[in-house]
Amino acid sequence: MADAEEPEKKRRRIEDLTEKMAVDGDHNWDGRWSHVQKFLERPGPFTHPDFEPSTDSLQFLLDTCKVLVIGAGGLGCELLKDLALSGFRHIHVVDMDTIDVSNLNRQFLFRPKDVGRPKADVAADFINSRIPGSSVVPHFKKIQEFDESFYKQFHIIVCGLDSIIARRWMNGMLISLLSYKAGRLDPSSIIPLIDGGTEGFKGNARVILPGMTACIDCTLELYPPQMNFPMCTIASMPRLPEHCIEYARILQWPKDKPFGETSLDGDNPEHIQWVFERAQERAAEFNITGVTYRLTQGVVKRIIPAVASTNAVIAAACASEVFKIATSAYMPLNNYLVFNDVDGLYTYTFEAERKENCSACSQVPQDLQFSPSAKLQEVLEYLTENASLQMKSPAITTTLEGKNKTLYLQSIKSIEERTRPNLCKTLKELGLSDGQELAVADVTTPQTVLFKLNFTT
């Protein structure tokens, strides 16, 4: 008899709670935020030294604080859930991707019926319908499509990305928003960046205060370098199967347009098959072996393994840091957390230090030391392969005789073809001199990076 009563009691409790939720238009029924109030409305041994318990912090979370979540994938789904249940109501989410069936094993806001739909839209709809009072605004766009005014509206930005390039671009954007008065950084212009990343059973979370603490580029050596190959090698002297695949991806796809104006989609089997076949033809021409369908997928998609439990741990750490910064109730992470449960469970924190000559946040032109006889190709390889720079497709320009001159630009086909011969010329032949400034633009940053050319003897 007692066992039969338990489900009935549970049902009545749910009905009572649902009725309270329906009556209260503000979705703040009694006890809803008690778990948050315990942190904000009473002192504790771990609170910030300057923290004063009050009801104001909770009201700030509920009514005012605006958080931007970048990425609605494995980390993003967890972040949206954690933040919404912690009292953050005004959340925007940006993601340029659509839902694939392979996402469903860990990205729990999505269902089979959602396959093909934008991740941001589905994630926002799910949170808004499931958590009363939530106001998640989706943006099915690239982060590069927004201007400064969009990012300035947020109090905190959280990244749940699987791309180092996107992280670096976001890092550069927040640095560009900083303002200085009489040479001193204006604290009101700082938008904290919380960054989380996972790879298999490993993960990390970090807190970045642009202009004050180490930024993404300050610690670029901690990230595995992206596999990039010099354009001259890809176009003229392939030696590896990867070179052949990149040739088909970068040069043949835009030239042949096998599927019309459609961009190459790494999740489309027909696109991968086409690249695979062209890569095989290229490999046969140069007697290169090892081009396989699986390798083609790996090169095109730059596959990173994902584990749901790691995403949950790192997202929880990031959400906790957002809560601490938004409420000022606790000291935030200073400033890097590492998580590893490959063999047992291991985690530690350390303070990543700012780099004095960081290309992103130091505001100091970078030195490039080359011989006058060095070729522009060597400079390009340095920009892409150096652990502190890791550029993707740098465009190099300079000023010669009072006029801007593009030395090399890869992203526009006609200009790439016109400037490609410069890669085989020496710096002296290009008219460059000691102390010359080179302006380098890249997809890893919204800002142009200045380099000062120092000739070595």
Side-chain angles (χ1 to χ4, degrees), residues 34-47:
S34 60
H35 62 296
V36 179
Q37 289 171 313
K38 290 175 182 176
F39 290 103
L40 302 180
E41 297 180 10
R42 64 183 184 182
F46 302 108
T47 54

Side-chain angles (χ1 to χ4, degrees), residues 63 75 100 153 175 187-188 194 208 224 285 313 369 389 423:
D63 302 332
L75 270 177
D100 183 77
Q153 67 179 301
I175 290 172
S188 65
I194 315 298
I208 298 170
E285 183 181 348
V313 171
Q369 295 189 350
L389 297 173
L423 294 175

Side-chain angles (χ1 to χ4, degrees), residues 5-22:
E5 289 179 354
E6 285 302 318
E8 181 64 20
K9 289 180 180 179
K10 185 177 180 180
R11 184 184 65 79
R12 287 177 181 173
R13 285 199 304 270
I14 294 173
E15 287 181 351
D16 292 343
L17 182 59
T18 304
E19 186 177 345
K20 289 180 180 179
M21 291 165 55

Side-chain angles (χ1 to χ4, degrees), residues 144-157:
Q144 293 87 348
E145 294 181 32
F146 298 98
D147 58 16
E148 293 182 352
S149 61
F150 174 78
Y151 294 107
K152 282 182 178 180
Q153 67 179 301
F154 298 102
H155 294 93
I156 302 172
I157 295 178

Side-chain angles (χ1 to χ4, degrees), residues 223-244:
Y223 295 98
Q226 297 285 300
M227 186 62 71
N228 293 306
F229 303 104
M231 184 57 67
C232 268
T233 301
I234 294 172
S236 308
M237 302 172 289
R239 300 184 299 275
L240 300 172
E242 289 85 353
H243 294 163
C244 302

Side-chain angles (χ1 to χ4, degrees), residues 39 69 74-86 88 108 158-160 194-198 203-207 307-325 333 337 339 347:
F39 290 103
V69 175
L75 270 177
C77 286
E78 293 278 358
L79 280 166
L80 289 169
K81 176 259 294 180
D82 291 346
L83 292 171
L85 291 174
S86 298
F88 294 93
F108 57 87
V158 200
C159 286
I194 315 298
D195 178 56
T198 65
N204 69 274
R206 62 187 303 185
V207 174
V307 176
S309 58
T310 311
N311 287 336
V313 171
I314 296 302
C318 290
S320 296
E321 296 307 316
V322 175
F323 181 83
K324 289 191 282 187
I325 291 176
L333 172 70
L337 176 144
F339 173 82
T347 181

Side-chain angles (χ1 to χ4, degrees), residues 17 24 32 62 176 270 289 329 334 364-365 450 453:
L17 182 59
D24 190 344
R32 179 177 185 185
L62 297 175
S176 71
E270 293 181 355
T289 60
N334 185 29
V364 176
L450 287 180
L453 189 60

